[in-house]
Amino acid sequence: MSDACGTINEGSARPAIPLLGLTADEVRDLLPAGAPAYTAKQIVAFCYDGKSIGEMTSLPKTLRAVLEETFVSVPLAVEKVYASRDGSKKFLFRFSDGELAEAVFMPHDYGNTVCVSTQIGCKMACAFCASGMDGFRRNLLPSEILGQVVAINRLEGGTAKERAVTNIVLMGSGEPLDNFDNVLRFLSDVTRKEGINFSERNISLSTSGLCEGMRALADSGFKITLSVSLHGADDATRSAIMPVNRRYGVAEVMSAARYYFERTGRRVIFEYILIDSVNDSRDDAAALAALVKGFPAHINVIRYNEVAGKPMKSPSVRATEEFLARLSALGASATLRRSFGGDIEGACGQLKRRYKAEDGK
Ligand code: SAH
């Protein structure tokens, strides 16, 4: 597909340095001596609009040519777009070193959410998830995380000022708190006023429960929404599907979640994927309701999205309804999360696997 966002420097020996996310001061330090001060500001604005250096046509042609030798604006290219019948779209991006990762655009009546990846692959190896099936490759840079937002914003017709993308969730491939420094710099770049100016209230981060990272995020000063992938209300159930639970057990995760709430005042969301005969019994519902009792939290129940090559099954609609009814009878605040993109391999990591298998990549 054509590369609407500019960006990969074909044929160049050294990887180009991304400009996206740099402040005007940081850009000014990179410009040739004698470039006017406002040029750095213009470049920052162009980058947040998703323009390639070649498209920054109000800059002198000679300056553009010099910049293109060393830099790139948005450091990714669109490899493929899959549109779902429900209006969501899945974007497969290729980064400068050839690695692929996916992001999803989901339209709602209140705005549009983009779900971005934070790593290529994942170390967490959750038994149900496609992302970790090929292991971990590398962390994404702040500019590569931000690039997914900026590219989709532009492709959906938005600019940095009039955004098509209104909400961001860090819930794609990877464990965001395992790429902590880059994710924090991303948060600072995406919320910067002179940039795309996202409100922290419109950003959510989902973690498999890395407790030091949860506490450090609470202390970071960013007041984003924290979602915790629980998927099991006791250590035996959770450890069977999430190896990370052997490092940070359920009690520790709950204590870090409580700390997050106390420091930020933001209600924590617990995600609970319902998997047939794994964690969907009446006892599981009772254990979950008891675990969150008295905790200012909300439970998002999600029906498991089946993954080719995994034995786990999605529960029936009836079993899902019964689980939710039981939670509510026990006083827990819980809703079923609408699932997008079922027909386009919506769950994280699935699309990339299908694409690679089909195209022999
Ligand atoms: N590593 C982070 C964020 C990425 S996964 C985390 O674990 O939270 C984002 C969410 O998708 C997590 O709740 C994860 O458990 C869930 N998920 C992964 N595979 C899924 C599948 N096949 N069906 C439904 N949800 C899935």
Side-chain angles (χ1 to χ4, degrees):
M1 125 146 335
S2 80
D3 171 12
C5 304
T7 74
I8 290 177
N9 268 15
E10 302 272 355
S12 97
R14 271 174 301 123
I17 300 165
L19 295 173
L20 176 66
L22 299 185
T23 63
D25 283 347
E26 287 168 335
V27 171
R28 199 164 51 221
D29 289 344
L30 301 173
L31 291 178
Y38 65 81
T39 302
K41 284 195 177 156
Q42 283 181 304
I43 292 175
V44 167
F46 284 138
C47 287
Y48 277 99
D49 278 341
K51 294 214 158 106
S52 67
I53 293 171
E55 290 172 314
M56 300 182 184
T57 46
S58 57
L59 301 181
K61 209 170 170 185
T62 44
L63 176 60
R64 274 184 276 144
V66 169
L67 290 175
E68 274 176 333
E69 278 171 23
T70 318
F71 304 103
V72 69
S73 55
V74 186
L76 50 79
V78 179
E79 177 83 5
K80 196 142 187 168
V81 183
Y82 297 78
S84 166
R85 284 188 293 275
D86 61 22
S88 66
K89 278 186 203 164
K90 194 134 186 176
F91 295 85
L92 193 60
F93 290 115
R94 187 176 286 278
F95 299 94
S96 316
D97 59 354
E99 292 285 2
L100 298 168
E102 52 213 83
V104 190
F105 176 80
M106 292 165 282
H108 310 283
D109 24 345
Y110 58 82
N112 301 314
T113 301
V114 159
C115 172
V116 295
S117 292
T118 54
Q119 295 180 318
I120 308 278
C122 186
K123 292 180 204 158
M124 298 300 123
C126 297
F128 47 80
C129 181
S131 291
M133 282 169 90
D134 297 322
F136 173 74
R137 305 276 297 184
R138 70 170 175 88
N139 283 326
L140 289 179
L141 299 169
S143 57
E144 292 172 326
I145 305 172
L146 182 59
Q148 299 168 60
V149 176
V150 163
I152 294 178
N153 193 48
R154 176 175 181 185
L155 290 162
E156 293 303 315
T159 61
K161 294 233 151 43
E162 296 191 18
R163 288 183 271 119
V165 176
T166 56
N167 298 70
I168 299 170
V169 294
L170 296 148
M171 282 190 194
S173 292
E175 168 49 55
L177 297 182
D178 183 43
N179 185 13
F180 192 83
D181 292 346
N182 287 350
V183 164
L184 229 59
R185 169 79 201 221
F186 159 77
L187 290 177
S188 133
D189 295 343
V190 80
T191 52
R192 193 171 305 127
K193 272 212 176 56
E194 313 80 70
I196 200 163
N197 193 22
F198 254 88
S199 152
E200 291 170 34
R201 300 203 146 264
N202 294 345
I203 304 174
S204 296
L205 178 150
S206 177
T207 180
S208 56
L210 298 187
C211 295
E212 281 107 2
M214 289 162 71
R215 287 172 188 270
L217 185 66
D219 293 337
S220 72
F222 288 105
K223 289 191 182 351
I224 62 171
T225 302
L226 180 68
S227 295
V228 179
S229 296
L230 207 50
H231 312 334
D234 59 77
D235 284 328
T237 310
R238 195 165 186 265
S239 291
I241 49 177
M242 298 180 71
V244 66
N245 194 70
R246 287 177 221 134
R247 206 157 97 210
Y248 306 101
V250 171
E252 241 181 303
V253 171
M254 295 307 286
S255 150
R258 185 170 291 279
Y259 182 78
Y260 192 86
F261 170 72
E262 282 162 2
R263 287 285 286 173
T264 63
R266 305 299 313 262
R267 191 169 70 147
V268 173
I269 310 285
F270 290 105
E271 296 160 276
Y272 194 95
I273 314 177
L274 266 191
I275 309 173
D276 181 47
S277 307
V278 170
N279 61 1
D280 64 343
S281 71
R282 287 172 65 81
D283 285 351
D284 290 318
L288 179 57
L291 188 67
V292 301
K293 204 170 178 70
F295 195 100
H298 182 76
I299 304 168
N300 257 336
V301 173
I302 307 148
R303 281 182 75 217
Y304 180 58
N305 210 329
E306 290 172 17
V307 174
K310 298 263 183 206
M312 283 136 197
K313 295 272 169 257
S314 195
S316 66
V317 172
R318 181 147 173 229
T320 309
E321 279 166 4
E322 278 173 12
F323 194 88
L324 274 159
R326 182 128 173 92
L327 285 179
S328 126
L330 293 168
S333 152
T335 42
L336 183 67
R337 188 197 284 162
R338 190 178 154 202
S339 176
F340 277 98
D343 54 335
I344 51 164
E345 312 276 339
C348 56
Q350 281 183 279
L351 173 69
K352 173 175 154 182
R353 286 183 66 77
R354 188 182 79 177
Y355 177 74
K356 284 186 146 186
E358 274 172 6
D359 296 4
K361 299 212 161 75

